[in-house]
Amino acid sequence: MLRVRNQKTIRRLANRSFSANRTRNIMAVIAVTLTTLLFSALFTTAISVKYSTEQTTMRQVGGYAHCGFKDLTAEQKDTLKTHPLIEKYGTNKVLTSLEEGVFEKNRVEVRYIDEIGADMFFCSPTTGSLPGTERELATDTWVLDQLGVPHKIGEQITVPFVFHGETREETFTLSGFWERDSAAMVSEMWLSEEFVDQMLSEYTPDERMVAMGAGKWNLDICFANSRNIPGNLETIARDNGYEIEDAMAEKYLRTGVNWAYLSTHSNQGEDLLSIAAVVFLTMMIILTGYLIIYNIFQISVSSDIRFYGLLKTIGTTGRQIRAMIRLQALKLCILGLPLGLLAGYLAGNQISAIVMKNMSGQQVYLTLNPWIFAGAALFSLLTVLLSCHKPGRIAGAVSPVESLRYTESVSGKKKSKKDRHGPKVLQMALANLGRNRKKTVLVILSLSLSVVLLYGVSAFSAGFDMDKFVAKFMTADYLVGHKDLFKNRFGSENQELKEEFLASVNSIEGIRESGLIYYNTGNTTASMTKAQYLRFLDPMQMQTLGDEFHALGDEDLTNPPIGIYGLDEMPFQYLKFVDGEVDYEELKKGNVIIQLVHQDDYGNPYLERAPYSVGDEVTFTYADEYEYIGDDMDAELVIHKSHEKTYTIGATAVLPGPLTVRRFGGANFAVAPEILKKEAGEKAVRMSCLVNMEEGMEDQMETFLERYMENADSDLDFESKKGYSDQFQSFRRMFLLIGTAASLVVALVGVLNFINAIVTGIRARRREMAVLQSIGMTGRQLKEMLILEGCAYGISAILLSLILSLLMQSLVLGQLEHILWFFTAKWIWSPILGMLLVFLVLGAVIPAAAYRTVERQSVVERLREVE
Amino acid sequence: MTILETRDLKKYYNSGETTVKALDGVNLKIEAGTFTAIVGTSGSGKSTLLHMLGGLDRPTEGKVLVDKKDIFTFKEEALTIFRRRKIGFVFQSYNLVPVLNVKENILLPIELDGGRPDQAYIQKIITLLGLEEKLQNLPSNLSGGQQQRVAIARALAGKPAIILADEPTGNLDSRTSQDVMSLLKVTSERFRQTIVMITHNEEIAQTADRIIRIEDGRIAKDGE
Ligand SMILES: Nc1ncnc2c1ncn2[C@@H]1O[C@H](COP(=O)(O)OP(=O)(O)OP(=O)(O)O)[C@@H](O)[C@H]1O
Ligand SMILES: [Mg+2]
């Protein structure tokens, strides 16, 4: 239908009528900009938080490769790497690792690597380069510091390798180095291939080197995208005639998938929630944008209706008029989009930084993902097109004759002839609102939207129950332990709290009470039937148990490992008995013990997972002498000597999470420390120390602990009630900040809509108002009428918001109590009353200001004005 | 040959309790190439009739046939296209597009149709109407008479078979009215156009081939 020639004509008409609508354009461009800003801020935040989380995990794992083949021969490596699915690959050959002395806590892996490989490890030299000649080396600054080597290319480094238990020192020249990533768990040292080969020819790999895959090649791979990594990996193996599932198979290849990519899939619930949130917000933005842009176009079309009718009479088709309006909308997009995209991107980066800091204490990795812009632009465009669709239809469908005599129709009852001027003005104001119902409803809706949003945000954050939150994470004022305890990695004697520390703690002032929690790091088992074991055995772990276990009948006896806590009297008071009760004196006697169970977020104990009942007799087997044979993963426990001890279960109780070893699951028991020490000896380890302070003296302890950690023992760490409440507050503040910012933008949109409605309403009625004035209405009365109109918008919006907020309160926030354990729904008035005030002020100020511009023209000028 | 025909044409307007019968059964045949004047008192239904003839508005009842085709069987879109190819309108209130200049206004209907204007012909009309000097002006910078001439030029530009004019001289002084009228006659004769014109001016009505008098929505008198 639209031929090229008339398209040009339509474009000209669109352009001209665009220029003739300055006020509308300014409003619309602002609206488009704001809408785009919201979209791009949302997408930036979503994408960069996801990206940052991924990056953080990758940096912990130490690489961004999607997956890799391990322990390959040179030929295998060379054939596998040519597979067409592989987008990018890096190769490396392991020599050994440094684990002695200064490297005991942080291993250094030693290998030859190529350039892409190093990049995949985030370990490319930022200064210098990879080793070029045999005697060159590249490593990170942390390793250099440990070896006492200055950060300078060309420095000599002596590295103490350990082969077969004997140390061999070799000297290299530093060819490159980089800053160690604080998230990384191991360090890397890159050597030349020649040197690695030479060492391997001199020494057959020892046990530790074999475990690392010394002398074998690793092939790290990136595919075109991170979808279906395991599947692609399998395809590559199969295409080359290898097998990656069955470890027993002849042509088996060991593989690994980067769990930075896997973790995003394993957390499906959380993922789904984030996606739902993004979708919800996107809809909200579309709605917000729609409300205003639609209104702007609607008003513009109805005030230009004569113009469209006129175009119709001379033969413009409805389709052409729709195209005209669409063209104008697109032009508004061209003006509004870039600014909105940029501002939204900047805002989004700020928000992501806040989110990352508050959610996981991690930094944000900025990303200039083109999808942010493409997505935001697309959605913004969609919103605009959606918004001008209906007005376009109206303009296109206008009947040529009707338009020749178009005025906004006055609906409702005819005006009654009361003479008191007050009510008459009010009546006229209300009648004016009723003139264009659609416009009025839209303005009120878009104003309400911001109030409801603000209410939602405020009520949600007000509902965060700090007491519930802190109680879950902290019971006493302070809990001190080895830093690994707080990383859920407690479990050996060298993580024990030191005597010197306990002595110094006891010397500080203001302690009301304190006590220790011991944990059995030795190997202890309890006898029970398979059925009892299955109550708390987690399915993942069950798979690792051999066929022997699966062959057992339900009533056959088995001996699973258990956890035993030794509680001083002070921590003992935090036990929550759920079945039976035992007093501390009785516990100290050593015949009666307490069975421990975990609880869910709402404080309901998992009683069904307790293997024993109160009154049961249980026999523990304490291993006195034992060793592990084999490497880490599949080490086998061999017990040389052990003894048994029988107890009675006196009660079942919950030990609050913070006081535990911070690993979920298993069967756990509590005894008095003396009893644990008697049976487990050195393996009864002082795990944590609980302290309650005198009122007002709480900060003393924190100061002491911080100083002590800095000067005496950097391996310590602690948690405090105050720390948790601070963390809680900052989480709440973050939420409030982002939420309020979002509601403010929405409010801005609403207000813009409101301004637009008032201003265009007044402009459209310029002649009419002049007529009113010519027949005796004073300017004052006119202004009064306009202000009343403005306030009526505000009041209606607040009433609507009140209803919607009440609905939200009962339908959404009330339900949240069941989903978020730290949430208690509360009704709050402040956002609604606050916004009422704002709307009343705006309702008065905007019409008054708009009327000013009208007032400048004389009545006669306005009467003569041609539309 | 009959180019315009109405059959029992009715148009009622409902405003609350009362019904206004703007047209109440009009039967009319107009031959191609003739000049018809429509006269009548204010509110008698003249404009309504003209709107119906041009397909600007739909009747309550009855038919309008243009070239033997019942135009109200067309879909809205098709009707518009039919109208812009067949009919040129001249309104009492000019109805120029305020954002386009004189030249653009004149060419608009042709361009909307995607057609190529006959430049020589357009030039002739412009010269005839004395608009050469004003081609780049916006309508708001023209006098009433000048605006009316632009509206006429626009109506003629597409060489429509029918010209419907609603008091084209209503706002003009008598001399300009004379000019405009003679111009309309000249061009219509030259291009064999059919003209239907509403007027209050007896003198002008007398120059028509046929005068139709409308009263209360009906034809009261029909003759030369
Ligand atoms: N849209 C409408 N709604 C209601 N009544 C209408 C409408 N259009 C016209 N009328 C009524 O129809 C009747 C005929 O109107 P019309 O405009 O055809 O008169 P006219 O003969 O052209 O008058 P004039 O010479 O004053 O232009 C009038 O009574 C008018 O009030
Ligand atoms: Mg009329």
Side-chain angles (χ1 to χ4, degrees):
Chain A
M1 236 330 277
L2 284 184
R3 270 167 259 157
V4 189
R5 266 198 68 82
N6 70 15
Q7 225 166 24
K8 215 174 92 197
T9 314
I10 296 298
R11 203 171 314 136
R12 182 168 65 214
L13 269 172
N15 285 345
R16 295 289 172 78
S17 101
F18 185 85
S19 323
N21 269 309
R22 284 238 352 248
T23 330
R24 179 204 69 184
N25 294 344
I26 293 171
M27 288 288 179
V29 167
I30 296 177
V32 173
T33 309
L34 282 176
T35 309
T36 317
L37 186 150
L38 286 174
F39 277 126
S40 86
L42 172 68
F43 294 163
T44 307
T45 309
I47 289 182
S48 62
V49 166
K50 180 169 165 1
Y51 178 75
S52 299
T53 322
E54 231 169 55
Q55 281 288 311
T56 307
T57 332
M58 284 185 217
R59 275 160 210 271
Q60 280 166 358
V61 178
Y64 70 78
H66 289 150
C67 59
F69 288 100
K70 300 187 182 345
D71 303 342
L72 304 175
T73 63
E75 298 81 61
Q76 285 174 325
K77 170 202 78 175
D78 287 330
T79 42
L80 286 172
K81 76 184 184 190
T82 59
H83 195 279
L85 273 177
I86 299 177
E87 179 90 357
K88 190 163 131 180
Y89 67 86
T91 57
N92 66 76
K93 191 176 196 179
V94 182
L95 175 59
T96 180
S97 64
L98 306 177
E99 297 181 18
E100 285 76 21
V102 288
F103 301 118
E104 196 183 324
K105 274 189 213 142
N106 281 290
R107 244 157 29 95
V108 182
E109 296 178 339
V110 180
R111 43 180 129 196
Y112 156 74
I113 198 159
D114 63 16
E115 232 164 90
I116 297 174
D119 186 54
M120 285 174 162
F121 271 79
F122 301 117
C123 292
S124 285
T126 48
T127 310
S129 56
L130 287 176
T133 65
E134 188 190 335
R135 285 286 161 170
E136 281 188 336
L137 170 158
T139 189
D140 69 36
T141 50
W142 180 83
V143 175
L144 293 179
D145 290 342
Q146 301 305 309
L147 293 171
V149 177
H151 306 175
K152 228 175 100 198
I153 303 293
E155 288 289 329
Q156 297 295 303
I157 314 174
T158 304
V159 184
F161 296 107
V162 177
F163 298 114
H164 295 279
E166 98 192 26
T167 306
R168 170 167 172 160
E169 297 205 330
E170 290 286 340
T171 303
F172 300 87
T173 309
L174 185 62
S175 69
F177 58 86
W178 61 92
E179 199 75 40
R180 181 186 148 107
D181 197 313
S182 60
M185 299 203 197
V186 296
S187 278
E188 300 291 338
M189 178 180 282
W190 307 140
L191 300 177
S192 64
E193 189 174 0
E194 293 88 340
F195 181 80
V196 169
D197 286 343
Q198 198 206 316
M199 285 298 113
L200 287 167
S201 66
E202 280 183 43
Y203 298 94
T204 46
D206 60 24
E207 217 173 272
R208 183 177 77 195
M209 289 164 69
V210 169
M212 287 186 61
K216 297 290 182 55
W217 285 92
N218 293 317
L219 176 64
D220 291 320
I221 295 170
C222 278
F223 301 115
N225 58 55
S226 59
R227 271 173 266 136
N228 193 22
I229 295 173
N232 287 345
L233 197 57
E234 176 135 30
T235 310
I236 297 179
R238 189 155 326 121
D239 289 353
N240 285 289
Y242 292 103
E243 164 64 46
I244 63 172
E245 293 285 334
D246 177 12
M248 295 298 129
E250 198 184 330
K251 301 210 80 182
Y252 170 75
L253 285 183
R254 216 152 72 77
T255 55
V257 174
N258 190 341
W259 51 265
Y261 297 103
L262 284 184
S263 63
T264 53
H265 298 291
S266 65
N267 244 337
Q268 259 177 4
E270 214 169 277
D271 251 23
L272 227 60
L273 200 71
S274 328
I275 290 173
V278 170
V279 169
F280 172 74
L281 287 173
T282 307
M283 308 281 267
M284 281 292 284
I285 299 172
I286 292 180
L287 182 64
T288 315
Y290 178 82
L291 282 180
I292 177 164
I293 299 168
Y294 172 78
N295 206 14
I296 289 173
F297 270 92
Q298 177 68 29
I299 292 172
S300 145
V301 162
S302 50
S303 58
D304 285 352
I305 206 85
R306 285 188 61 108
F307 171 70
Y308 295 113
L310 160 61
L311 287 177
K312 266 268 178 98
T313 57
I314 54 172
T316 316
T317 62
R319 196 193 299 244
Q320 285 170 327
I321 288 178
R322 287 202 297 276
M324 232 178 92
I325 288 179
R326 216 166 30 239
L327 275 173
Q328 296 190 26
L330 290 179
K331 200 157 167 189
L332 292 171
C333 284
I334 292 172
L335 293 173
L337 275 178
L339 192 64
L341 286 176
L342 187 71
Y345 178 67
L346 296 177
N349 280 334
Q350 292 302 314
I351 298 173
S352 319
I354 298 175
V355 171
M356 282 307 284
K357 190 161 148 275
N358 281 281
M359 300 294 259
S360 50
Q362 260 128 13
Q363 72 176 106
V364 63
Y365 295 93
L366 293 188
T367 161
L368 241 166
N369 191 324
W371 283 109
I372 296 173
F373 301 104
L378 199 76
F379 272 98
S380 202
L381 210 62
L382 185 83
T383 311
V384 171
L385 289 180
L386 214 64
S387 310
C388 71
H389 179 74
K390 185 86 183 301
R393 287 257 305 273
I394 292 172
V398 77
S399 150
V401 192
E402 287 299 319
S403 72
L404 294 180
R405 44 174 89 231
Y406 187 89
T407 48
E408 284 185 296
S409 63
V410 184
S411 64
K413 285 159 265 159
K414 298 215 170 82
K415 287 165 204 158
S416 63
K417 288 174 195 152
K418 271 188 215 153
D419 245 335
R420 283 163 33 236
H421 88 268
K424 203 176 207 167
V425 171
L426 177 65
Q427 223 166 25
M428 282 175 69
L430 291 180
N432 282 337
L433 288 189
R435 269 183 179 199
N436 187 339
R437 289 241 170 82
K438 215 178 263 166
K439 174 176 93 179
T440 310
V441 166
L442 274 173
V443 170
I444 291 175
L445 245 158
S446 75
L447 285 175
S448 308
L449 197 64
S450 65
V451 182
V452 174
L453 198 65
L454 187 68
Y455 177 79
V457 169
S458 317
F460 184 59
S461 74
F464 284 14
D465 191 327
M466 176 137 105
D467 293 336
K468 272 194 201 170
F469 183 83
V470 173
K472 175 176 161 77
F473 291 108
M474 204 51 208
T475 26
D477 287 346
Y478 287 92
L479 184 141
V480 192
H482 190 275
K483 65 181 178 198
D484 287 344
L485 171 64
F486 302 99
K487 293 180 182 159
N488 312 341
R489 288 202 298 236
F490 184 84
S492 87
E493 292 99 288
N494 44 33
Q495 291 162 325
E496 178 158 46
L497 283 175
K498 299 202 176 67
E499 295 279 6
E500 309 91 76
F501 168 72
L502 295 173
S504 339
V505 165
N506 285 325
S507 70
I508 66 166
E509 255 179 88
I511 293 184
R512 181 158 54 85
E513 51 178 0
S514 71
L516 293 173
I517 299 172
Y518 292 73
Y519 187 70
N520 176 22
T521 59
N523 201 287
T524 305
T525 58
S527 70
M528 59 181 78
T529 63
K530 182 182 176 188
Q532 281 174 312
Y533 189 12
L534 287 177
R535 288 201 197 160
F536 61 87
L537 180 59
D538 123 281
M540 284 279 278
Q541 215 185 337
M542 185 150 87
Q543 290 177 351
T544 67
L545 294 172
D547 298 336
E548 222 172 297
F549 175 79
H550 294 287
L552 289 179
D554 275 356
E555 293 310 313
D556 290 337
L557 286 181
T558 171
N559 260 309
I562 53 160
I564 311 175
Y565 293 90
L567 302 180
D568 271 350
E569 191 161 5
M570 187 266 189
F572 176 80
Q573 65 180 350
Y574 289 112
L575 279 180
K576 278 198 326 201
F577 287 99
V578 290
D579 188 10
E581 206 163 335
V582 174
D583 71 21
Y584 198 65
E585 289 312 312
E586 206 179 337
L587 199 67
K588 281 209 290 195
K589 288 188 196 136
N591 296 321
V592 172
I593 61 169
I594 299 166
Q595 169 177 245
L596 300 178
V597 288
H598 293 280
Q599 59 186 1
D600 68 14
D601 287 335
Y602 296 93
N604 305 313
Y606 291 113
L607 266 177
E608 71 284 1
R609 297 195 194 160
Y612 300 110
S613 314
V614 173
D616 283 0
E617 296 246 302
V618 298
T619 303
F620 289 178
T621 307
Y622 293 91
D624 300 318
E625 281 172 30
Y626 58 88
E627 65 177 317
Y628 286 98
I629 293 175
D631 64 0
D632 286 358
M633 288 308 267
D634 340 271
E636 197 182 338
L637 172 69
V638 178
I639 298 172
H640 300 300
K641 185 162 164 274
S642 63
H643 71 277
E644 291 187 351
K645 178 89 178 128
T646 302
Y647 308 93
T648 309
I649 302 287
T652 301
V654 172
L655 183 64
L659 309 188
T660 64
V661 71
R662 291 157 194 251
R663 280 192 298 265
F664 198 75
N668 295 288
F669 301 88
V671 299
E674 302 76 52
I675 307 300
L676 184 61
K677 279 189 251 181
K678 199 170 88 200
E679 306 299 341
E682 288 181 351
K683 298 287 182 183
V685 169
R686 291 181 294 270
M687 178 176 75
S688 51
C689 172
L690 274 189
V691 179
N692 277 329
M693 304 299 289
E694 298 286 356
E695 195 104 15
M697 304 290 268
E698 286 90 349
D699 292 346
Q700 296 271 337
M701 184 72 181
E702 180 159 350
T703 325
F704 162 78
L705 283 170
E706 261 157 16
R707 198 168 306 144
Y708 193 86
M709 279 161 56
E710 198 163 307
N711 302 325
D713 189 352
S714 60
D715 283 342
L716 276 186
D717 204 348
F718 71 96
E719 282 175 350
S720 66
K721 259 191 187 157
K722 184 166 161 290
Y724 273 107
S725 61
D726 287 352
Q727 188 191 334
F728 184 76
Q729 295 292 12
S730 93
F731 178 63
R732 178 153 78 185
R733 258 201 307 278
M734 164 191 86
F735 185 82
L736 207 58
L737 185 80
I738 295 172
T740 311
S743 342
L744 282 185
V745 178
V746 174
L748 198 61
V749 170
V751 168
L752 205 62
N753 212 342
F754 177 53
I755 294 177
N756 184 48
I758 295 268
V759 171
T760 52
I762 290 176
R763 278 176 52 120
R765 284 182 288 153
R766 267 222 284 253
R767 262 179 77 150
E768 180 188 319
M769 292 189 314
V771 173
L772 284 174
Q773 271 182 297
S774 72
I775 57 166
M777 196 174 197
T778 65
R780 226 186 104 96
Q781 283 172 320
L782 210 51
K783 207 146 88 181
E784 234 171 74
M785 182 184 85
L786 292 174
I787 290 174
L788 280 173
E789 271 179 54
C791 292
Y793 275 118
I795 294 170
S796 322
I798 290 296
L799 286 178
L800 182 64
S801 326
L802 198 62
I803 296 168
L804 292 178
S805 299
L806 279 166
L807 278 176
M808 177 159 78
Q809 180 77 15
S810 63
L811 295 182
V812 182
L813 295 174
Q815 297 308 307
L816 268 185
E817 276 187 31
H818 306 297
I819 301 167
L820 292 176
W821 53 270
F822 56 85
F823 186 78
T824 313
K826 275 184 208 148
W827 173 262
I828 47 171
W829 278 106
S830 49
I832 292 184
L833 293 181
M835 289 303 266
L836 176 63
L837 205 71
V838 172
F839 287 171
L840 286 182
V841 170
L842 287 174
V845 170
I846 294 168
Y851 180 67
R852 275 254 178 100
T853 62
V854 174
E855 230 174 8
R856 274 195 226 117
Q857 282 178 304
S858 77
V859 175
V860 181
E861 268 176 316
R862 276 182 277 154
L863 275 174
R864 278 232 308 258
E865 205 165 76
V866 207
E867 297 107 290
Chain B
M1 189 190 77
T2 305
I3 189 164
L4 271 174
E5 183 178 353
T6 68
R7 289 189 192 156
D8 204 20
L9 195 63
K10 289 180 183 165
K11 178 72 178 178
Y12 297 169
Y13 290 107
N14 286 316
S15 58
E17 305 95 71
T18 58
T19 301
V20 179
K21 297 181 175 179
L23 289 180
D24 196 17
V26 173
N27 288 295
L28 182 67
K29 277 186 183 172
I30 291 173
E31 297 302 309
T34 58
F35 176 11
T36 308
I38 296 179
V39 295
T41 53
S42 180
S44 55
K46 305 183 294 291
S47 297
T48 309
L49 174 62
L50 202 76
H51 293 157
M52 297 295 150
L53 289 178
L56 284 181
D57 205 358
R58 287 179 186 268
T60 313
E61 225 176 84
K63 281 182 184 160
V64 172
L65 295 109
V66 178
D67 260 355
K68 307 268 187 302
K69 282 191 223 46
D70 182 350
I71 58 172
F72 294 113
T73 58
F74 291 165
K75 290 252 170 54
E76 185 64 37
E77 198 87 355
L79 178 57
T80 306
I81 293 165
F82 178 81
R83 183 170 63 231
R84 78 181 170 205
R85 294 189 180 153
K86 277 269 178 219
I87 298 169
F89 270 105
V90 184
F91 296 98
Q92 185 172 8
S93 49
Y94 329 131
N95 281 347
L96 299 178
V97 179
V99 294
L100 298 180
N101 67 28
V102 167
K103 180 84 185 274
E104 290 163 342
N105 260 292
I106 294 174
L107 294 180
L108 188 59
I110 301 171
E111 290 183 342
L112 281 173
D113 205 34
R116 194 168 278 281
D118 177 346
Q119 288 297 348
Y121 171 66
I122 304 277
Q123 198 50 51
K124 212 178 307 174
I125 296 176
I126 290 171
T127 321
L128 259 169
L129 289 165
L131 291 170
E132 296 105 320
E133 308 285 297
K134 303 288 179 189
L135 288 179
Q136 303 307 321
N137 286 25
L138 287 177
S140 55
N141 298 335
L142 299 180
S143 73
Q146 287 166 334
Q147 287 190 53
Q148 190 61 292
R149 278 183 272 157
V150 177
I152 292 170
R154 185 178 63 190
L156 294 174
K159 296 187 212 163
I162 304 164
I163 291 177
L164 301 176
D166 193 346
E167 291 184 57
T169 58
N171 286 343
L172 307 180
D173 60 78
S174 61
R175 238 206 75 195
T176 321
S177 304
Q178 293 291 342
D179 290 352
V180 166
M181 280 317 299
S182 53
L183 185 103
L184 264 179
K185 292 203 78 166
V186 169
T187 54
S188 70
E189 267 157 33
R190 190 174 303 171
F191 301 109
R192 280 196 49 77
Q193 287 164 317
T194 311
I195 299 183
V196 180
M197 178 191 283
I198 297 173
T199 182
H200 279 134
N201 187 325
E202 280 300 322
E203 263 177 67
I204 290 176
Q206 291 312 322
T207 65
D209 303 329
R210 176 181 174 192
I211 300 173
I212 296 174
R213 180 168 296 280
I214 304 278
E215 253 156 48
D216 296 332
R218 290 165 183 276
I219 296 178
K221 193 174 161 223
D222 190 348
E224 274 80 311

